[in-house]
Amino acid sequence: MKNAKNIKACITAIGGYVPEDILTNEMLEKMVDTNDEWIVSRTGIKERRILKDPKKPTSYMGIKASNKVIEERNIDPMSIDLVITATVTPDLPVASTAAYIATEIGAKNAFSFDIQAACSGFLYGMSVAKSFIESGRYQRVLLVGADKMSSIVDYTDRATCILFGDGAGAALFEASENEFGYEDEFLQTDGNGRNYLKIDAGGSLFPPSHETLDKKMHNLYQEGQVVFKYAVSNMLEATQKIMERNNLKGNDINYLVPHQANKRIIDSIASKTDIDSDKILMNIERYGNTTAATIPLLLNDNKASFKKGEKFIFIAFGGGFSWGASYLTWSI
Ligand code: UT7
């Protein structure tokens, strides 16, 4: 076992997967009372991917993304110590999706568990992965962010159905062999937020019943304006805290990696922290909000450009409420 004091966690490989089927704004115009102009101007979204096959759950996408990580890093999956899956759409309410993914990718020596922190799931998962690596006890942690949002979205509710898409991303965390890696984090929650962004039924408060089905209580509910307000102010505060205590100005940052909920939220935070628009990773126009998958999909889409030592700020906000920011220097 290595000396825990000298260990820094870093990302050594990234994979991503989105389904082939595309749901465009024009297609949504035929399903609900909406239009392309409204969706683009209010959210930045043009289209999203949908995993249409009802027999294919979230793990299907998580497995695809994870296998790409294994291939990219060229490792034996038996060498993975831990598999974490961040998701709000587990395959089953009980029996973790992470356990199934671990077994299917051949990570049979690993233990595994899911974390549920909604749109902050991958951000929180990075903190968990980092802590297991930095304990010195584990060498390889695979973090998967995967959500089949189409399984919980009500496609008659125009307030939510235009926002979400399906996808998965995965990142391998290992001990850094140089001075770079996971540097700092500021993570927060506020349980009062569950009034504004939630699925009511299916848990212990409202177990499934004919009534919960009839009232569509198993679908995602969001009060968009309230969530918008908290998302901007809380993510801004988290970003500023991380920048201040690491002595970072907007110019010092190479990449802002924000959860993809709304382009207007991201632009607002970037402008208040003096981070230039060309440093902001964005794919909301193609994928919409894929919940736990937005951040690893951004990394996967842009990984060819990353260079050792570059500075990354990750930010997210989501159900719970949960939110935060983290700071990482690229290590490979
Ligand atoms: O990822 C988890 C965290 N989630 C977020 O961060 C999401 C935060 N919220 C948002 O991104 C935005 O609030 C939305 C994109 C969800 C909504 O945008 P908005 O600018 O806050 O719109 P709004 O809810 O204030 O609605 C404005 C108008 C309303 O009509 P009236 O009352 O002004 O006549 C809505 O009924 O737009 C109407 N509207 C729509 N019109 C066309 C709502 N949804 C639609 C729609 N198409 N799909």
Side-chain angles (χ1 to χ4, degrees):
M1 193 183 297
K2 288 179 189 167
N3 175 0
K5 278 185 193 154
N6 301 328
I7 296 173
K8 215 170 207 181
C10 70
I11 296 174
T12 55
I14 298 156
Y17 173 80
V18 289
E20 278 172 20
D21 279 303
I22 297 176
L23 178 62
T24 63
N25 290 350
E26 289 71 22
M27 291 158 86
L28 281 163
E29 284 177 8
K30 299 191 177 87
M31 296 159 65
V32 288
D33 181 14
T34 191
N35 57 79
D36 178 59
E37 195 280 326
W38 191 96
I39 301 173
V40 172
S41 63
R42 299 278 178 142
T43 70
I45 303 167
K46 292 286 296 174
E47 59 187 42
R48 49 312 274 139
R49 300 300 181 100
I50 303 292
L51 185 57
K52 275 193 173 163
D53 187 343
K55 293 203 184 82
K56 288 182 176 152
T58 294
S59 64
Y60 174 83
M61 298 184 289
I63 291 164
K64 294 252 185 209
S66 299
N67 280 332
K68 287 182 187 162
V69 168
I70 291 165
E71 202 182 306
E72 180 177 302
R73 184 72 175 133
N74 196 17
I75 53 164
D76 180 352
M78 294 290 274
S79 69
I80 297 171
D81 300 303
L82 165 61
V83 176
I84 305 167
T85 300
T87 185
V88 292
T89 52
D91 290 6
L92 309 171
V94 175
S96 80
T97 301
Y100 188 71
I101 292 175
T103 298
E104 288 298 303
I105 63 173
K108 292 184 181 159
N109 285 324
F111 72 111
S112 54
F113 55 85
D114 290 355
I115 57 172
Q116 205 276 54
C119 296
S120 305
F122 197 84
L123 188 80
Y124 282 22
M126 288 173 66
S127 172
V128 178
K130 170 218 109 178
S131 302
F132 274 101
I133 295 288
E134 291 186 0
S135 74
R137 195 181 291 265
Y138 304 101
Q139 272 67 56
R140 285 190 168 143
V141 177
L142 179 68
L143 173 62
V144 184
D147 270 302
K148 185 175 179 177
M149 295 305 289
S150 62
S151 67
I152 55 169
V153 163
D154 172 4
Y155 284 95
T156 65
D157 174 15
R158 71 174 183 175
T160 52
C161 75
I162 56 133
L163 299 171
F164 295 95
D166 301 337
L172 187 68
F173 284 75
E174 298 184 76
S176 175
E177 285 172 6
N178 49 52
E179 74 267 36
F180 303 118
Y182 196 101
E183 307 283 355
D184 196 9
E185 66 190 20
F186 176 79
L187 307 176
Q188 298 268 281
T189 49
D190 175 359
N192 294 318
R194 78 179 188 179
N195 294 317
Y196 310 107
L197 179 47
K198 60 182 171 177
I199 293 177
D200 267 315
S204 56
L205 188 57
F206 297 106
S209 67
H210 290 294
E211 191 192 355
T212 60
L213 271 177
D214 291 344
K215 289 186 173 167
K216 294 194 169 180
M217 289 168 70
H218 295 271
N219 292 119
L220 193 71
Y221 167 85
Q222 173 171 249
E223 281 184 39
Q225 277 189 11
V226 179
V227 179
F228 190 102
K229 204 181 75 189
Y230 280 102
V232 171
S233 61
N234 287 327
M235 274 196 291
L236 179 62
E237 188 202 3
T239 311
Q240 286 170 334
K241 271 215 160 69
I242 283 293
M243 288 173 70
E244 269 162 35
R245 70 187 189 199
N246 291 282
N247 219 2
L248 296 168
K249 303 269 172 274
N251 271 346
D252 300 324
I253 293 158
N254 299 97
Y255 295 101
L256 178 70
V257 191
H259 168 58
Q260 307 282 292
N262 189 318
K263 186 175 184 300
R264 287 186 293 142
I265 295 177
I266 298 165
D267 289 343
S268 163
I269 291 163
S271 69
K272 289 181 179 120
T273 47
D274 287 331
I275 300 173
D276 289 344
S277 55
D278 62 340
K279 294 177 171 175
I280 306 168
L281 299 188
M282 203 95 83
N283 58 16
I284 190 168
E285 69 283 359
R286 286 179 291 135
Y287 303 149
N289 182 349
T290 55
T291 303
T294 59
I295 288 178
L297 280 174
L298 283 173
L299 293 178
N300 188 56
D301 285 355
N302 294 281
K303 63 189 175 188
S305 342
F306 302 159
K307 295 183 196 68
K308 194 190 244 184
E310 286 185 324
K311 298 178 171 68
F312 289 64
I313 301 275
F314 296 84
I315 55 173
F317 184 92
F321 293 140
S322 59
W323 70 94
S326 60
Y327 169 40
L328 180 141
T329 48
W330 203 249
S331 178
I332 52 173

